[in-house]
Amino acid sequence: MIQKWKKEFELGHPTIDVHHRYLVLLMNILYESIKSDSARSQSIDVVQELKEYAQYHFNAEEQLFEHTDYPYVEHHKNFHKEFCLTIQRISELIDEHNSSAPIELIEFLNSWFINHILTVDMGILPYLNHQ
Ligand SMILES: [Fe+2]
Ligand SMILES: [Fe+2]
């Protein structure tokens, strides 16, 4: 397991928390899939799901901004793009049969994501509460 879900990661927004939790779960599954040398097709499926769900989550989060006075929309969107680019890179490396790089990149992706929740996403909260 790369990352256990912790109570401190929760924003208290039910939808966002469910999304975050599922993304962490997918990163764990991907990590285990690569680490245990499972069939490459399994890793390809998980990375595809991660890619699609991350996009779905980011769209939902960005939709939320639209209804608030949150001032860092563009800045926040750029972070989301950065995350998607890293998933894309992992996906390409899996396709290219590179076995060692993805583990490090998934570790990077995971710590990036947890840090994003704790610093950037948490910063949305004051604006959601004052709608
Ligand atoms: Fe975010
Ligand atoms: Fe988020």
Side-chain angles (χ1 to χ4, degrees):
M1 178 177 266
I2 189 172
Q3 182 70 60
K4 200 170 182 293
W5 182 260
K6 295 181 187 165
K7 185 94 185 127
E8 67 196 74
F9 301 155
E10 284 171 16
L11 271 72
H13 186 288
T15 311
I16 298 291
D17 287 338
V18 165
H19 290 180
H20 286 167
R21 223 182 159 122
Y22 185 56
L23 286 167
V24 169
L25 175 71
L26 285 175
M27 283 185 270
N28 276 316
I29 295 172
L30 183 59
Y31 179 81
E32 291 303 328
S33 165
I34 288 174
K35 223 172 176 182
S36 64
D37 265 334
S38 303
R40 211 167 58 89
S41 62
Q42 186 187 317
S43 302
I44 290 171
D45 288 348
V46 182
V47 85
Q48 184 60 31
E49 171 73 0
L50 184 58
K51 213 190 282 184
E52 286 171 17
Y53 199 85
Q55 198 54 64
Y56 166 74
H57 165 60
F58 293 149
N59 287 341
E61 217 170 78
E62 290 165 16
Q63 278 289 313
L64 264 183
F65 303 158
E66 303 291 325
H67 306 286
T68 70
D69 295 326
Y70 181 64
Y72 311 112
V73 175
E74 285 313 308
H75 191 60
H76 199 141
K77 283 184 177 174
N78 284 335
F79 280 125
H80 290 168
K81 276 184 205 137
E82 210 181 289
F83 186 87
C84 290
L85 285 174
T86 306
I87 298 178
Q88 186 54 38
R89 184 72 195 122
I90 291 170
S91 167
E92 285 163 9
L93 285 169
I94 292 172
D95 283 346
E96 289 162 13
H97 296 257
N98 187 326
S99 59
S100 60
I103 281 291
E104 284 157 29
L105 266 181
I106 293 161
E107 283 166 347
F108 168 79
L109 191 77
N110 174 72
S111 45
W112 187 103
F113 188 65
I114 298 302
N115 184 55
H116 181 80
I117 292 176
L118 293 176
T119 58
V120 184
D121 285 349
M122 287 289 180
I124 312 166
L125 279 181
Y127 300 91
L128 292 182
N129 294 337
H130 294 109
Q131 280 183 66

